[in-house]
Amino acid sequence: MSEMALINNVIPRTDVVKRSARIGAEILNIKLSGDLPDQTIAAINGLLLEHKVIFFREQGHLDDAEQERFARRLGKPVPPPPTVGTLKGTISMIEIDTVRGGLRTDCWHIDMAYMDAYPKILVLRGVVIPSVGGDTVWSNTAAAYLDLPPPLQRLADDLWVVHSNAFDFAIFPRPTEADKKHYDEVLKARFETEHPLVRVHPETGERTLVLGMYTKRFVDVPKYDGQRLFDLFESHITAPENTLRWNWKQGDVAIWDNRATMHYAAKDYGDQPRLVRRAAIEGEVPIGVDGRCSVARVKVIK
């Protein structure tokens, strides 16, 4: 049975609602759990590869343990860096709580892209959602690559980029004292990796762009020129045609392919609380168009 036939056989196409032409779909009539049949998990993974990010409403039955138990069906859980604590009783689950401060996500990024084998899949659950604002925007980095004119594709294929968790607070509007305290703790573990700007997706064969807020510099390119290259390629990634904005409700679950997307959590909800919890699935070391693999250059845990 073909992958498409398998998906149609398990999840009717009427239960797959596309949210935009290039990225995103909402999947209806599925209750996520670690007990789902293998065919359903395979169909979910197929839809994820097709749509890059998929959404499930009304999953309020999930707690932290069951969210991670479901995530395990998609691959091996991967812990965050040692300075980012996990939720009790879990391996990979972290909490993003805007009231208590901590991880800032209001900037375009690939989760943990400063690692050599960064997570391939993320499973995010909405726990406390603002009454207004708090949407997350995802972009399709495979579509962004295809939008590049052929000469820029060839240039991108040859470029390598250094990613690091030692990023500059200048990228954040109005960083708070809680933000600074959190990142002082985070940076006790330092990571730096060279990635190809274009990685070949290990399951689909697509070429996807690897950029975002953890980008430090282009290899063998002066800073002045590197910033213009960053702006050029990032503008294609974040073009409205390649993006989808999700309006969260409590109990929603979003699952995205971290190898083929970037995302941005809008911080437009004032002082309202926003709490989400995330499980991460172990990924592969990226491979560039020329067959070379990403290389970890710095890994220091103090």
Side-chain angles (χ1 to χ4, degrees):
M1 184 181 294
S2 70
E3 183 176 286
M4 189 61 66
L6 170 64
I7 293 171
N8 291 338
N9 189 51
V10 177
I11 301 175
R13 277 288 155 178
T14 53
D15 286 349
V16 179
V17 181
K18 291 187 70 169
R19 300 305 299 253
S20 76
R22 292 187 173 186
I23 181 173
E26 181 180 349
I27 315 303
L28 309 177
N29 300 319
I30 287 185
K31 185 177 182 179
L32 299 177
S33 82
D35 296 322
L36 287 172
D38 290 345
Q39 280 197 322
T40 303
I41 295 296
I44 287 172
N45 189 69
L47 289 168
L48 178 62
L49 293 175
E50 179 183 354
H51 298 286
K52 315 307 184 199
V53 56
I54 54 178
F55 306 96
F56 301 79
R57 298 275 196 197
E58 299 178 351
Q59 303 296 315
H61 61 281
L62 293 175
D63 59 13
D64 299 335
E66 189 62 21
Q67 179 181 346
E68 185 172 76
R69 188 164 167 261
F70 162 73
R72 281 176 178 269
R73 301 294 306 282
L74 300 171
K76 181 181 177 182
V78 59
T83 51
V84 179
T86 55
L87 295 170
K88 185 177 179 180
T90 70
I91 295 172
S92 69
M93 294 283 292
I94 68 167
E95 184 172 83
I96 303 169
D97 184 347
T98 59
V99 173
R100 291 189 298 176
L103 187 66
R104 289 284 295 263
T105 56
D106 52 325
C107 195
W108 284 105
H109 64 286
I110 297 168
D111 278 357
M112 296 168 66
Y114 46 82
M115 310 289 287
D116 52 354
Y118 56 82
K120 67 176 183 178
I121 296 172
L122 286 306
V123 181
L124 189 68
R125 175 173 121 252
V127 180
V128 178
I129 302 301
S131 59
V132 176
D135 295 354
T136 303
V137 187
W138 278 268
S139 67
N140 182 338
T141 59
Y145 177 84
L146 291 176
D147 277 349
L148 295 172
L152 290 182
Q153 288 182 351
R154 293 192 291 272
L155 172 62
D157 291 344
D158 289 338
L159 290 169
W160 283 69
V161 188
V162 174
H163 294 251
S164 170
N165 65 334
F167 53 86
D168 187 347
F169 268 109
I171 66 175
F172 288 133
R174 299 179 297 282
T176 66
E177 288 305 313
D179 293 330
K180 294 174 183 177
K181 182 178 179 180
H182 172 76
Y183 284 105
D184 282 344
E185 186 65 26
V186 165
L187 291 176
K188 290 180 180 177
R190 287 286 309 279
F191 298 93
E192 185 173 292
T193 299
E194 286 184 14
H195 289 304
L197 174 59
V198 180
R199 71 174 292 183
V200 180
H201 195 289
E203 295 186 70
T204 67
E206 295 173 300
R207 296 183 181 187
T208 67
L209 296 171
V210 183
L211 276 179
M213 74 176 183
Y214 296 113
T215 300
K216 277 284 151 284
R217 65 184 185 277
F218 285 79
V219 177
D220 296 330
V221 176
K223 183 177 180 180
Y224 179 89
D225 296 318
Q227 183 60 54
R228 278 144 188 81
L229 287 173
F230 178 88
D231 293 342
L232 171 64
F233 292 117
E234 190 93 343
S235 70
H236 282 269
I237 294 170
T238 61
E241 294 81 5
N242 292 326
T243 64
L244 162 77
R245 189 177 184 117
W246 181 253
N247 179 231
W248 287 93
K249 296 180 181 177
Q250 186 173 333
D252 286 359
V253 170
I255 307 173
W256 66 94
D257 186 338
N258 202 41
R259 302 161 293 185
T261 60
M262 293 206 315
H263 60 285
Y264 182 116
K267 200 173 189 328
D268 57 354
Y269 41 89
D271 296 328
Q272 296 180 84
R274 183 181 187 272
L275 174 64
V276 293
R277 290 178 176 156
R278 190 200 75 189
I281 300 303
E282 185 176 71
E284 316 84 357
V285 175
I287 299 175
V289 174
D290 62 0
R292 289 189 294 151
C293 297
S294 297
V295 180
R297 294 301 186 192
V298 176
K299 185 177 181 181
V300 179
I301 301 173
K302 299 179 182 179

